[in-house]
Amino acid sequence: MSGREQISNYLKSFSRYLASLSSEDAAEVIQEIESHIYDVIDQQEMAGKEANIESILAGLGAPRVLAENYVSHIQQGTPPPKGFRPLTSVTKGLSKTLYWGMLAFGYGTGLALIVLAFANLLLPNGIAFWVEAEGNSVAVGFLSNPILANSDATITGLWITPVALVSAYAISLLTYRILALLKRFAVGYQYA
Amino acid sequence: MTEASNQSAKWDAQLRKGTLELAILAAVASEEKYGLAILNYLHSFETMVISEGTLYPLLDRLKREGVLNAKWHQEGEVRPRKYYSLTESGLERLHILRARWKRSVVDMESLLADTAIGEGNGADSVTETGKRKG
């Protein structure tokens, strides 16, 4: 592997671990580290030595550890003004609860819809929607007795599969986006 | 590495943890410097040999705290470099930390003077403390 490839791989890996920084902050941090690497290479070459890329990258440490040092500094942040600390801890705790709650709910719903889609292919008349109370209440479930499918309030059919898959994709995507926002908010709110 | 030099290295590392911020503020006090220049400058002192992985995140923190200014400069064909300098608040913090450091040195000197143990084999290393390498 060439020196440039080693540097490129290091920076790519480093950038992945900086995901909790804003894109502008991460880009600036990466640019500075890249600038440092090439400065050291120039310095070694000007001293008549062959640039040792491995040793330069080793000086920076593993990409994950270097990124953690940056992120931990940001999480530590500037001390808040008097009286602000309790509010900060509450917000941080809330963000954490919200993050994990959203993760469980969003991906759980997505997974349930995917299971529903495939179950509908295996049991075409065994999965149904029930519409009750003049459309005010909708339920979905397995039919133990397919005769019930004749009821006016029961809807079955193969169309449930694509609808469930599209819904699962949409819910998972939405969950992913919301989690990314929550993660950024939980880390970077001190500087908002 | 001998036991004595191992202990010295551990002691240096412990001491640096508390004094690194002061060292960095002092390093950019007289003129603005970019990362590698700060690192080379600190490495010219025996007890200030820190890694790049320690320096850059700390510079980033000091910038976020508003004690350092950071500006990208490009001179001629050389690639852009991020130069750090002290802000007003940084200069103020440097004065405070320097005063506390001097106080600590005086206190420690008094404590050591009060001990009955002589300098013995450590005398040489004591006289070397703080001296610039090379």
Side-chain angles (χ1 to χ4, degrees):
Chain A
M1 192 188 295
S2 75
R4 281 194 179 274
E5 280 173 334
Q6 279 178 288
I7 295 167
S8 167
N9 288 345
Y10 183 92
L11 293 173
K12 268 184 202 160
S13 174
F14 180 50
S15 69
R16 277 200 294 274
Y17 291 114
L18 291 175
S20 54
L21 265 64
S22 71
S23 54
E24 293 83 11
D25 281 349
E28 187 166 350
V29 165
I30 293 163
Q31 190 182 358
E32 184 173 30
I33 294 299
E34 184 178 19
S35 169
H36 168 82
I37 293 168
Y38 285 105
D39 273 342
V40 181
I41 292 173
D42 287 351
Q43 183 174 270
Q44 291 183 349
E45 287 177 348
M46 280 168 73
K49 296 178 196 164
E50 193 181 341
N52 185 340
I53 308 291
E54 276 171 20
S55 131
I56 296 169
L57 298 180
L60 288 163
R64 183 180 59 80
V65 177
L66 181 61
E68 276 173 5
N69 285 341
Y70 273 100
V71 174
S72 68
H73 279 151
I74 291 168
Q75 281 173 329
Q76 184 181 331
T78 310
K82 277 183 182 176
F84 189 71
R85 194 178 293 277
L87 185 64
T88 312
S89 343
V90 169
T91 314
K92 202 169 183 178
L94 186 68
S95 303
K96 212 170 180 180
T97 311
L98 200 62
Y99 181 88
W100 290 108
M102 188 68 217
L103 187 142
F105 177 76
Y107 289 136
T109 308
L111 190 65
L113 283 168
I114 291 169
V115 170
L116 182 79
F118 286 102
N120 189 50
L121 289 176
L122 296 171
L123 306 160
N125 288 318
I127 304 290
F129 281 90
W130 283 271
V131 182
E132 295 291 341
E134 296 177 348
N136 290 328
S137 170
V138 177
V140 62
F142 287 91
L143 286 171
S144 59
N145 184 357
I147 294 167
L148 284 174
N150 296 328
S151 157
D152 288 344
T154 307
I155 306 163
T156 59
L158 281 174
W159 61 269
I160 290 175
T161 296
V163 168
L165 284 175
V166 169
S167 305
Y169 174 74
I171 288 173
S172 301
L173 187 67
L174 187 66
T175 306
Y176 174 78
R177 294 256 164 93
I178 291 173
L179 291 179
L181 271 177
L182 278 175
K183 202 173 177 184
R184 194 167 147 189
F185 172 73
V187 173
Y189 65 89
Q190 298 100 319
Y191 301 98
Chain B
M1 192 181 271
T2 64
E3 180 63 22
S5 63
N6 194 19
Q7 279 190 3
S8 296
K10 278 184 184 170
W11 162 256
D12 287 349
Q14 288 294 326
L15 196 60
R16 266 200 308 271
K17 273 187 189 172
T19 55
L20 195 51
E21 184 177 325
L22 172 60
I24 288 175
L25 295 181
V28 296
S30 56
E31 58 170 351
E32 60 175 18
K33 289 188 178 74
Y34 60 97
L36 183 59
I38 297 173
L39 195 73
N40 287 339
Y41 181 64
L42 292 177
H43 282 196
S44 68
F45 297 90
E46 189 182 322
T47 60
M48 284 292 151
V49 182
I50 60 163
S51 74
E52 299 88 317
T54 303
L55 175 69
Y56 283 98
L58 185 54
L59 287 172
D60 187 67
R61 175 166 74 80
L62 294 174
K63 186 193 79 176
R64 287 171 189 280
E65 288 179 4
V67 292
L68 290 183
N69 261 327
K71 273 189 244 164
W72 286 93
H73 285 315
Q74 183 163 19
E75 291 164 13
E77 295 297 310
V78 182
R79 77 185 62 78
R81 286 167 171 160
K82 197 174 178 182
Y83 281 80
Y84 293 91
S85 59
L86 282 186
T87 61
E88 284 291 317
S89 145
L91 189 61
E92 197 179 318
R93 190 182 288 190
L94 175 60
H95 287 147
I96 294 168
L97 294 183
R98 183 162 55 189
R100 294 312 296 163
W101 168 253
K102 285 186 172 175
R103 182 71 246 173
S104 297
V105 170
V106 169
D107 289 349
M108 190 57 78
E109 289 284 358
S110 300
L111 271 168
L112 292 174
D114 288 346
T115 59
I117 305 163
E119 290 186 349
N121 293 334
D124 289 344
S125 53
V126 169
T127 54
E128 286 295 320
T129 304
K131 189 185 276 185
R132 187 93 181 261
K133 283 197 295 186

